[in-house]
Amino acid sequence: MPPKNVAILMFDDVEVLDFAGPFEVFSVTAELNSESNKDSRPFAVSTVAQHPGAVNARNGLSVNPDCTISNCPPPDILIVPGGKGTRKLIDNSAVINWIKDCSQTAELVLSVCTGSLLLAKAGLLEGLAATTHHRALDLLRELAPNTTIIENQRFVDNGKIITSGGIAAGIDMSLHVVGKLLGTAQAEKTAEHMEYKMGKW
C-alpha cells in the first residue's frame, strides 16, 4: 500500500506545537515502520502553505513548507493547526476553499486548537461535535452555531472530522488517529519512542 499523504497547513503565526506535534507523531510512526519493513511506510508527511517561501510561526520560528496549496499532492489526512494566524485566515477565501475541497476526498480532516475555526468557516462542522482551545470556545460557538461545542476534552472524533483542544492536545489526537488506522499497539510504540505519556486514545 502506498503511504497516506499527510498534509499540514502552515501560515504566519501558526502555533509551533500545533503543527510540530502531529508532524512528529506521523513521522515517527512512519520511521518506526520502515525500520522493521523498508516497504512499509504508512505516512508521507508534508507541510503546505498558500504561497511559496518561509512561514513565520509563533515567536519568530521560520519554517519552509514543502509545497503550496496549488501543487500539494491530494491529502489523505489533512491537518489544520491553530494559532493567532487563524484569525486572518478565516477571511481568506483561497485557503478556506482549499480546506473545503480537500475535505471532499480526504480520508480524515483534523484540526488542532483554533484550527477548528477554519473548519467551521469551511462548513465542515455542521451538525457535528467539536472542541478547540479553551480560550476560543465562544468564538467557535459564533462561527459554528449548529455545532455541539465540547469543553474539557482532549479531542472529539466524529469519524472523518476530528478536532482537538489547544496545542499539546494535537499530539493526543494524532496518536489516536495512528491507533485508529494502524492499531493501538502501533500508537503505543510511537508514544513510547517519543517518551510521551497520555491517557486512553
Side-chain angles (χ1 to χ4, degrees):
M1 291 290 291
K4 294 182 185 296
N5 288 322
V6 180
I8 304 176
L9 179 64
M10 300 293 292
F11 46 88
D12 286 336
D13 268 337
V14 61
E15 188 69 45
V16 173
L17 196 56
D18 278 18
F19 74 83
F23 183 96
E24 184 77 358
V25 170
F26 289 104
S27 296
V28 165
T29 299
E31 182 181 12
L32 293 175
N33 271 266
S34 64
E35 285 177 358
S36 57
N37 183 350
K38 291 183 179 179
D39 295 323
S40 176
R41 194 171 183 89
F43 304 115
V45 187
S46 61
T47 50
V48 53
Q50 182 178 8
H51 304 293
V55 163
N56 292 313
R58 291 285 288 156
N59 299 311
L61 178 66
S62 181
V63 182
N64 292 299
D66 299 304
C67 53
T68 68
I69 62 176
S70 62
N71 62 21
C72 173
D76 299 297
I77 301 173
L78 174 63
I79 302 176
V80 181
K84 287 194 173 181
T86 56
R87 307 312 194 271
K88 290 183 179 179
L89 286 186
I90 286 174
D91 298 317
N92 186 320
S93 59
V95 171
I96 297 300
N97 287 333
W98 179 77
I99 292 172
K100 189 183 300 184
D101 290 344
C102 287
S103 74
Q104 301 301 308
T105 55
E107 181 178 347
L108 295 170
V109 178
L110 319 178
S111 70
V112 184
C113 195
T114 54
S116 60
L117 304 179
L118 304 183
L119 299 194
K121 185 69 174 183
L124 302 183
L125 301 182
E126 284 290 304
L128 303 181
T131 193
T132 189
H133 191 281
H134 64 274
R135 295 179 65 179
L137 291 166
D138 288 340
L139 181 53
L140 183 57
R141 288 188 181 97
E142 291 178 21
L143 288 172
N146 299 317
T147 300
T148 301
I149 308 303
I150 306 295
E151 300 185 33
N152 301 314
Q153 192 163 311
R154 299 293 279 175
F155 55 84
V156 176
D157 187 344
N158 293 280
K160 179 174 180 172
I161 308 292
I162 308 175
T163 59
S164 76
I167 311 177
I171 298 175
D172 299 61
M173 177 185 65
S174 298
L175 287 166
H176 167 74
V177 170
V178 169
K180 184 172 180 169
L181 297 177
L182 303 179
T184 301
Q186 183 62 66
E188 291 174 344
K189 184 178 179 181
T190 298
E192 180 184 15
H193 182 85
M194 293 173 59
E195 297 194 355
Y196 186 77
K197 303 295 183 183
M198 60 174 289
K200 288 185 69 176
W201 298 299

